Amino acid sequence: MAARGVGLLSRLSMCTQRSQVLRPIHRRLSCPGTVAADARGEQPSSGSSETGSEDRTPKKRFSEVQKERREQAQRTILILCPNKISEKKFLKYLSQHGPINNHFFFESFGLYAVVEFCQKESVASLQNLTRTPSMGTEAAIPFRSRFFNLKLKNSSNETSEQSCIPCCNQSPPSSKKLFKLLCDAESIDDQLNTLLKEFQLTEENTKLRYLTCSLIEDIAAAYFPDCAVRPFGSSVNSFGKLGCDLDMFLDLDEIGKFNAHKTSGNFLMEFQVKNVPSERIATQKILSVIGECLDNFGPGCVGVQKILNARCPLVRFSHQASGFQCDLTTNNRIALKSSELLYIYGALDSRVRALVFSIRCWARAHSLTSSIPGAWITNFSLTMMVIFFLQRRSPPILPTLDYLKTLADAEDKCIIEGHNCTFICDLNRIKPSKNTETLELLLKEFFEYFGNFAFNKNSINIRQGKEQNKPEPSPLHIQNPFETSLNISKNVSQSQLQKFVDLARESAWILHQEDKDHPSPSSNQPWGLAALLLPSIAKSVSHDKKKRRKPASERIKNLLESIKSSPENSTNTNGKRTVSTQA
Ligand code: GTP
Ligand code: MG
């Protein structure tokens, strides 16, 4: 039992290894603002065990959330504070520059405060009273950012009022805690919702992500004054886990678009620009100078790597204060549209996010996914697989992308680089599903569905919501929803796919066995989702049960048949089936 516990701990700690220690505490002051409304609007309700889209409160469009969060971030500053300060005095000091809407503290190699003013002017007022530090042997590069150091002028007479700032822990749960929470849950549905609640991005973490983009935008604006740096990927698509990377998109599209149509007369004025042979070279040149800029002048930006020869050129760096691993790209507008599509799917039904989070954690626990690029499945691909599976239910839980396109009106029309990326953006106009299946059933059926999917001939296609013949021989084919000739999982090798299939079958089998045995949550044995996240237990439970019992139902019999017929189903010298969990 102890050894099994250790297995879970080490496995699950891998799930969370990239997460920073982030201990925020949230305070709301009296200034009216949009923060609470934003918080309600952005994250679809979580932790609910209800099925379907029962929540009838209007949901914000992706573009509205982005706009509000961006505007909020522009009024926000980041401060490295002394470890012990008087919170009251700190706020009073900052209030000289204008009313504060909201603030919180977190720990990450020091105590940091995130302070949101009610007005943008307050930031400029504070910057005007801020000095550039005089260094000793080193020299400072003067840069007026929104990232500050707070120093005590005279630390001795403050002592009586200084106190430890209470910081609540916002990092993902320890594996031990998660294990306990899952084992104490009342049902598998409850387990999935618990996992979602513990791993999803918090309001503070989301704010910090938008703030970090906004700080990077200030730096990029030195070259491109009208640029925008927008978060995309799991930071905004509602599938982000605490500790996930921060994908950023340097948007230069607005530059030069202004006023062109307003000019009158026979003349049209254009900027003189430098021409380069291709869009890709332009992207590489832009990212190269921004990379240099971040490296040389970006406060808190460390480990800057320019990865310009990748399919999608990027600049990778760590933002030390927030602890985020950042990937900055440009000319990647389709990825932003993909984030919007996933946001819509995540908001349509409360079961979607719960299922995606559990499948992502399951995949990570079994080393099916990795933070290092390679021949394995990505979280993005896994999310597509869950969406596809939910489109295949009867009645469907999620609509197809083609159906979302038919609901679109004129203002939703979106063509990017010749690809039709049109779909309805107002998610309140999409009818909720009539499907009432439980999460427990969906989890089982997901494993069974993909444990028996004809990957050798079929492609996964969320645009049409049905299998298609594979257009090319990659082991796993998941059609890119917008660039439809591309496969988003081209990188996945046959052995990685087989590992996924084997583990899916194993997990389906365990859940079916539990159905028969009715393990009690009070039995102190890992059960349900907890058993699935624990490879050593998964193996031993399945071996024991396989030896003890004959399959009762036709369904389990079929499942066992399919396990036996798997070409890579290896047998060790004891005649027991082995499951590799190594990547
Ligand atoms: P995390 O693993 O939590 O970071 O999930 P993520 O969705 O953010 O994935 P990732 O950081 O790898 O990629 C960021 C975004 O880029 C995704 O959400 C997609 O929109 C897009 N993306 C990632 N991989 C692919 C791909 O293979 N093809 C296409 N077209 N887009 C991709
Ligand atoms: Mg990401």
Side-chain angles (χ1 to χ4, degrees):
M1 201 38 223
R4 289 169 181 179
V6 170
L8 175 79
L9 301 192
S10 58
R11 273 302 147 186
L12 294 183
S13 68
M14 286 173 72
C15 287
T16 59
Q17 66 189 354
R18 289 174 68 199
S19 62
Q20 74 281 19
V21 181
L22 191 62
R23 302 164 178 279
I25 180 157
H26 196 233
R27 293 274 188 280
R28 197 169 149 69
L29 300 182
S30 55
C31 176
T34 58
V35 176
D38 283 355
R40 278 197 304 274
E42 172 150 16
Q43 294 288 344
S45 61
S46 57
S48 155
S49 58
E50 295 167 21
T51 54
S53 290
E54 309 81 358
D55 182 6
R56 302 280 167 186
T57 47
K59 289 173 183 147
K60 286 186 185 171
R61 286 169 184 240
F62 182 75
S63 56
E64 288 172 322
V65 175
Q66 292 272 317
K67 193 166 168 243
E68 280 180 25
R69 290 276 185 193
R70 186 171 136 77
E71 190 273 322
Q72 182 184 60
Q74 286 168 342
R75 292 183 269 115
T76 304
I77 56 172
L78 180 61
I79 309 176
L80 174 59
C81 302
N83 273 340
K84 288 187 171 182
I85 52 164
S86 155
E87 188 178 358
K88 211 168 127 196
K89 283 190 178 175
F90 169 74
L91 292 174
K92 194 171 164 209
Y93 171 75
L94 287 175
S95 301
Q96 297 172 66
H97 303 283
I100 294 168
N101 194 35
N102 199 284
H103 79 284
F104 64 89
F105 292 93
F106 69 92
E107 276 177 7
S108 164
F109 304 108
L111 178 69
Y112 288 87
V114 171
V115 180
E116 181 198 326
F117 286 106
C118 291
Q119 289 132 17
K120 214 172 157 182
E121 294 70 38
S122 304
V123 176
S125 160
L126 173 64
Q127 282 172 323
N128 285 340
L129 282 189
T130 301
R131 60 175 200 148
T132 301
S134 49
M135 311 300 269
T137 50
E138 296 177 331
I141 295 171
F143 184 70
R144 287 161 59 91
S145 74
R146 281 180 287 137
F147 183 9
F148 303 90
N149 262 335
L150 180 72
K151 295 268 164 84
L152 294 173
K153 271 192 192 153
N154 184 354
S155 52
S156 56
N157 61 10
E158 283 278 318
T159 326
S160 59
E161 292 197 44
Q162 287 169 3
S163 60
C164 271
I165 301 283
C167 292
C168 44
N169 192 352
Q170 278 285 305
S171 51
S174 67
S175 40
K176 195 174 165 189
K177 183 181 165 200
L178 180 66
F179 179 76
K180 182 156 180 8
L181 285 170
L182 294 183
C183 288
D184 288 350
E186 286 182 355
S187 62
I188 292 183
D189 280 45
D190 193 18
Q191 287 185 323
L192 268 78
N193 282 316
T194 299
L195 186 134
L196 169 65
K197 210 168 115 216
E198 294 294 320
F199 276 97
Q200 69 184 347
L201 300 185
T202 60
E203 166 66 10
E204 292 83 10
N205 198 277
T206 301
K207 277 186 172 168
L208 197 52
R209 283 169 190 270
Y210 280 86
L211 173 58
T212 306
C213 286
S214 187
L215 296 177
I216 301 304
E217 182 178 303
D218 287 353
I219 297 167
Y223 276 99
F224 305 106
D226 298 310
C227 73
V229 172
R230 308 184 193 281
F232 70 98
S234 58
S235 298
V236 297
N237 67 17
S238 81
F239 295 106
K241 248 174 37 184
L242 284 169
C244 69
D245 68 357
L246 173 53
D247 303 293
M248 302 175 177
F249 165 60
L250 173 66
D251 188 353
L252 303 174
D253 259 21
E254 297 307 309
I255 296 175
K257 278 195 178 163
F258 312 111
N259 304 327
H261 57 283
K262 287 187 192 156
T263 53
S264 56
N266 277 340
F267 296 107
L268 179 68
M269 202 68 103
E270 281 184 349
F271 287 110
Q272 278 278 347
V273 289
K274 203 143 192 165
N275 291 325
V276 290
S278 69
E279 193 75 42
R280 180 172 169 85
I281 295 175
T283 299
Q284 288 170 329
K285 284 188 180 288
I286 291 165
L287 284 178
S288 180
V289 294
I290 299 296
E292 287 298 313
C293 217
L294 291 175
D295 201 15
N296 291 316
F297 310 123
C301 299
V302 296
V304 179
Q305 286 173 273
K306 295 192 269 181
I307 309 172
L308 303 179
N309 286 324
R311 190 185 65 83
C312 181
L314 68 126
V315 175
R316 177 165 289 169
F317 60 96
S318 295
H319 191 257
Q320 236 177 358
S322 61
F324 296 137
Q325 173 77 32
C326 304
D327 279 352
L328 178 69
T329 54
T330 186
N331 195 16
N332 193 12
R333 191 166 288 282
I334 290 188
L336 201 63
K337 206 62 191 167
S338 299
S339 304
E340 177 169 5
L341 180 65
L342 294 195
Y343 168 86
I344 289 179
Y345 278 129
L348 280 181
D349 188 290
S350 61
R351 290 166 289 184
V352 181
R353 294 174 68 234
L355 197 58
V356 169
F357 271 69
S358 290
I359 297 295
R360 282 184 170 204
C361 271
W362 167 84
R364 191 73 185 91
H366 292 276
S367 304
L368 285 168
T369 52
S370 166
S371 53
I372 310 160
W376 25 88
I377 299 176
T378 62
N379 279 331
F380 182 55
S381 295
L382 281 175
T383 308
M384 289 292 174
M385 289 169 96
V386 176
I387 291 171
F388 181 74
F389 163 73
L390 295 175
Q391 290 173 335
R392 303 293 296 149
R393 302 308 296 162
S394 180
I397 293 179
L398 289 176
T400 65
L401 177 52
D402 273 344
Y403 178 69
L404 296 181
K405 190 174 155 198
T406 63
L407 296 180
D409 53 28
E411 62 166 342
D412 296 326
K413 190 164 179 206
C414 174
I415 311 283
I416 303 171
E417 294 157 17
H419 302 287
N420 195 331
C421 304
T422 305
F423 55 83
I424 184 169
C425 297
D426 180 0
L427 38 96
N428 301 301
R429 286 177 43 216
I430 307 167
K431 278 213 184 95
S433 167
K434 297 238 181 319
N435 181 305
T436 56
E437 287 170 317
T438 63
L439 280 169
E440 176 177 350
L441 180 76
L442 292 171
L443 185 67
K444 266 184 227 163
E445 297 278 323
F446 174 88
F447 289 130
E448 196 164 317
Y449 183 77
F450 283 115
N452 293 291
F453 190 85
F455 288 108
N456 56 339
K457 63 177 179 44
N458 286 338
S459 160
I460 291 163
N461 178 322
I462 68 157
R463 181 163 277 283
Q464 297 179 14
K466 57 180 186 230
E467 296 96 346
Q468 302 280 296
N469 286 336
K470 275 205 294 193
E472 42 110 345
S474 306
L476 176 60
H477 194 282
I478 304 177
Q479 191 194 56
N480 182 321
F482 300 121
E483 292 165 278
T484 51
S485 63
L486 300 182
N487 171 12
I488 65 161
S489 50
K490 208 176 167 67
N491 61 311
V492 178
S493 65
Q494 182 60 45
S495 62
Q496 283 299 316
L497 176 65
Q498 191 57 51
K499 191 173 144 186
F500 171 86
V501 169
D502 288 346
L503 283 161
R505 289 176 181 176
E506 183 87 16
S507 300
W509 200 89
I510 291 167
L511 291 173
H512 280 293
Q513 286 300 307
E514 283 198 352
D515 250 4
K516 283 201 317 157
D517 292 352
H518 301 298
S520 96
S522 58
S523 66
N524 264 345
Q525 291 296 314
W527 61 279
L529 188 56
L532 298 188
L533 295 180
L534 185 61
S536 57
I537 287 184
K539 266 192 286 180
S540 63
V541 168
S542 62
H543 294 157
D544 289 353
K545 288 181 177 171
K546 270 181 228 173
K547 277 196 290 182
R548 280 205 315 267
R549 296 183 183 84
K550 287 197 166 164
S553 74
E554 200 52 38
R555 207 168 177 207
I556 294 172
K557 210 163 145 190
N558 290 342
L559 195 62
L560 282 172
E561 284 305 322
S562 67
I563 291 169
K564 278 186 217 137
S565 64
S566 159
E568 287 197 15
N569 177 26
S570 56
T571 337
N572 67 16
T573 46
N574 303 323
K576 288 181 180 174
R577 200 170 146 247
T578 55
V579 177
S580 165
T581 52
Q582 299 306 306

